Short mmCIF file of all heavy atoms in Angstrom, two decimals:
data_model
loop_
_atom_site.label_atom_id
_atom_site.label_comp_id
_atom_site.label_asym_id
_atom_site.label_seq_id
_atom_site.Cartn_x
_atom_site.Cartn_y
_atom_site.Cartn_z
N GLN A 325 -32.74 33.03 -56.23
CA GLN A 325 -32.59 34.21 -55.50
C GLN A 325 -33.82 34.75 -54.89
O GLN A 325 -34.74 34.96 -55.66
CB GLN A 325 -31.76 35.26 -56.32
CG GLN A 325 -31.24 36.47 -55.56
CD GLN A 325 -30.54 37.42 -56.58
OE1 GLN A 325 -31.21 38.19 -57.25
NE2 GLN A 325 -29.29 37.29 -56.69
N ILE A 326 -33.70 35.09 -53.56
CA ILE A 326 -34.91 35.72 -53.02
C ILE A 326 -34.71 37.13 -52.76
O ILE A 326 -33.62 37.60 -52.07
CB ILE A 326 -35.16 35.02 -51.67
CG1 ILE A 326 -35.34 33.35 -51.83
CG2 ILE A 326 -36.46 35.37 -51.02
CD1 ILE A 326 -35.41 32.64 -50.59
N ALA A 327 -35.55 37.93 -53.28
CA ALA A 327 -35.48 39.48 -53.01
C ALA A 327 -36.79 39.92 -52.20
O ALA A 327 -37.83 39.31 -52.38
CB ALA A 327 -35.28 40.17 -54.24
N GLY A 328 -36.62 40.87 -51.22
CA GLY A 328 -37.76 41.28 -50.49
C GLY A 328 -37.59 42.43 -49.68
O GLY A 328 -38.00 42.36 -48.49
N SER A 329 -36.85 43.45 -50.13
CA SER A 329 -36.58 44.72 -49.43
C SER A 329 -35.93 44.41 -48.16
O SER A 329 -36.19 44.89 -47.00
CB SER A 329 -37.94 45.54 -49.13
OG SER A 329 -38.51 45.80 -50.29
N PHE A 330 -34.77 43.55 -48.21
CA PHE A 330 -34.09 43.17 -47.01
C PHE A 330 -33.08 44.08 -46.72
O PHE A 330 -32.50 44.91 -47.50
CB PHE A 330 -33.33 41.83 -47.21
CG PHE A 330 -34.23 40.70 -47.45
CD1 PHE A 330 -34.07 39.99 -48.72
CD2 PHE A 330 -35.26 40.20 -46.55
CE1 PHE A 330 -34.93 38.89 -48.89
CE2 PHE A 330 -35.96 39.18 -46.74
CZ PHE A 330 -35.85 38.43 -48.00
N THR A 331 -32.73 44.41 -45.32
CA THR A 331 -31.57 44.96 -44.83
C THR A 331 -30.43 43.92 -44.85
O THR A 331 -30.70 42.68 -44.89
CB THR A 331 -31.69 45.61 -43.49
OG1 THR A 331 -31.93 44.52 -42.56
CG2 THR A 331 -32.83 46.54 -43.40
N ALA A 332 -29.32 44.37 -44.54
CA ALA A 332 -28.14 43.27 -44.43
C ALA A 332 -28.33 42.40 -43.42
O ALA A 332 -28.14 41.19 -43.50
CB ALA A 332 -26.82 44.06 -44.32
N ASP A 333 -28.77 42.91 -42.17
CA ASP A 333 -29.09 42.06 -40.92
C ASP A 333 -30.20 41.04 -41.21
O ASP A 333 -30.16 40.03 -40.90
CB ASP A 333 -29.32 42.94 -39.75
CG ASP A 333 -28.11 43.51 -39.31
OD1 ASP A 333 -27.00 43.09 -39.60
OD2 ASP A 333 -28.27 44.49 -38.56
N SER A 334 -31.37 41.56 -41.79
CA SER A 334 -32.47 40.63 -42.05
C SER A 334 -32.13 39.61 -43.06
O SER A 334 -32.68 38.39 -42.88
CB SER A 334 -33.71 41.57 -42.42
OG SER A 334 -33.42 42.16 -43.67
N ALA A 335 -31.45 39.93 -44.19
CA ALA A 335 -31.09 38.93 -45.08
C ALA A 335 -30.19 37.89 -44.49
O ALA A 335 -30.37 36.75 -44.74
CB ALA A 335 -30.27 39.63 -46.17
N ASN A 336 -29.28 38.26 -43.58
CA ASN A 336 -28.32 37.43 -42.84
C ASN A 336 -29.17 36.43 -42.06
O ASN A 336 -28.94 35.24 -41.86
CB ASN A 336 -27.27 38.03 -42.11
CG ASN A 336 -26.25 37.06 -41.58
OD1 ASN A 336 -25.68 36.31 -42.23
ND2 ASN A 336 -26.09 37.08 -40.17
N GLN A 337 -30.14 36.97 -41.21
CA GLN A 337 -31.03 36.30 -40.40
C GLN A 337 -31.85 35.17 -41.12
O GLN A 337 -32.00 34.12 -40.71
CB GLN A 337 -31.75 37.15 -39.52
CG GLN A 337 -31.22 37.83 -38.31
CD GLN A 337 -32.19 38.47 -37.30
OE1 GLN A 337 -33.40 38.42 -37.46
NE2 GLN A 337 -31.55 39.09 -36.37
N LEU A 338 -32.33 35.69 -42.32
CA LEU A 338 -33.12 34.71 -42.97
C LEU A 338 -32.39 33.61 -43.61
O LEU A 338 -32.69 32.41 -43.66
CB LEU A 338 -33.87 35.50 -44.25
CG LEU A 338 -34.67 34.54 -45.28
CD1 LEU A 338 -35.70 33.78 -44.55
CD2 LEU A 338 -35.22 35.46 -46.30
N ALA A 339 -31.08 33.95 -44.05
CA ALA A 339 -30.14 32.88 -44.49
C ALA A 339 -29.79 31.91 -43.35
O ALA A 339 -29.81 30.67 -43.61
CB ALA A 339 -28.80 33.69 -45.07
N ILE A 340 -29.64 32.29 -42.11
CA ILE A 340 -29.43 31.43 -41.09
C ILE A 340 -30.53 30.56 -40.90
O ILE A 340 -30.50 29.37 -40.65
CB ILE A 340 -29.08 32.23 -39.75
CG1 ILE A 340 -27.56 32.90 -39.89
CG2 ILE A 340 -29.11 31.43 -38.54
CD1 ILE A 340 -27.42 33.81 -38.69
N ALA A 341 -31.79 31.19 -40.85
CA ALA A 341 -32.99 30.41 -40.61
C ALA A 341 -33.23 29.25 -41.68
O ALA A 341 -33.59 28.15 -41.35
CB ALA A 341 -34.23 31.34 -40.56
N LEU A 342 -33.01 29.75 -42.94
CA LEU A 342 -33.13 28.83 -43.99
C LEU A 342 -32.13 27.58 -43.87
O LEU A 342 -32.44 26.50 -44.18
CB LEU A 342 -33.13 29.41 -45.44
CG LEU A 342 -34.28 30.43 -45.65
CD1 LEU A 342 -34.05 31.13 -46.93
CD2 LEU A 342 -35.61 29.71 -45.66
N ARG A 343 -30.87 28.04 -43.66
CA ARG A 343 -29.89 26.90 -43.59
C ARG A 343 -30.18 25.91 -42.40
O ARG A 343 -29.78 24.75 -42.49
CB ARG A 343 -28.48 27.55 -43.28
CG ARG A 343 -27.73 28.22 -44.43
CD ARG A 343 -26.27 28.25 -44.21
NE ARG A 343 -25.93 29.06 -43.07
CZ ARG A 343 -25.89 30.47 -43.09
NH1 ARG A 343 -26.04 30.99 -44.15
NH2 ARG A 343 -25.58 31.15 -41.96
N SER A 344 -30.76 26.45 -41.25
CA SER A 344 -30.89 25.68 -40.14
C SER A 344 -32.14 24.82 -40.35
O SER A 344 -32.36 23.77 -39.62
CB SER A 344 -31.23 26.60 -38.85
OG SER A 344 -30.14 27.36 -38.68
N GLY A 345 -32.95 24.98 -41.29
CA GLY A 345 -34.13 24.31 -41.62
C GLY A 345 -35.37 24.95 -41.08
O GLY A 345 -35.36 25.91 -40.18
N ALA A 346 -36.45 24.70 -41.81
CA ALA A 346 -37.73 25.38 -41.38
C ALA A 346 -38.33 24.78 -40.14
O ALA A 346 -38.14 23.58 -39.90
CB ALA A 346 -38.72 25.31 -42.47
N LEU A 347 -38.91 25.52 -39.18
CA LEU A 347 -39.57 25.07 -38.09
C LEU A 347 -40.88 24.31 -38.48
O LEU A 347 -41.67 24.84 -39.33
CB LEU A 347 -39.99 26.21 -37.04
CG LEU A 347 -38.91 26.84 -36.26
CD1 LEU A 347 -39.40 28.05 -35.62
CD2 LEU A 347 -38.36 25.89 -35.24
N PRO A 348 -40.95 23.09 -37.99
CA PRO A 348 -42.17 22.34 -38.49
C PRO A 348 -43.42 22.80 -37.87
O PRO A 348 -44.54 22.42 -38.33
CB PRO A 348 -41.86 20.95 -37.91
CG PRO A 348 -40.90 21.03 -36.76
CD PRO A 348 -40.13 22.31 -37.09
N VAL A 349 -43.41 23.70 -36.93
CA VAL A 349 -44.57 24.29 -36.29
C VAL A 349 -44.11 25.69 -35.71
O VAL A 349 -43.02 25.89 -35.23
CB VAL A 349 -45.05 23.41 -35.07
CG1 VAL A 349 -43.96 23.21 -34.09
CG2 VAL A 349 -46.37 23.82 -34.40
N PRO A 350 -44.98 26.72 -35.99
CA PRO A 350 -44.70 28.06 -35.53
C PRO A 350 -44.50 28.01 -34.01
O PRO A 350 -45.11 27.32 -33.24
CB PRO A 350 -45.87 28.93 -35.86
CG PRO A 350 -46.53 28.19 -36.93
CD PRO A 350 -46.28 26.70 -36.67
#
Side-chain angles (χ1 to χ4, degrees):
Q325 190 178 83
I326 304 173
S329 301
F330 297 120
T331 63
D333 287 340
S334 63
N336 186 56
Q337 283 194 2
L338 176 58
I340 290 174
L342 293 176
R343 278 200 305 272
S344 304
L347 285 169
V349 60

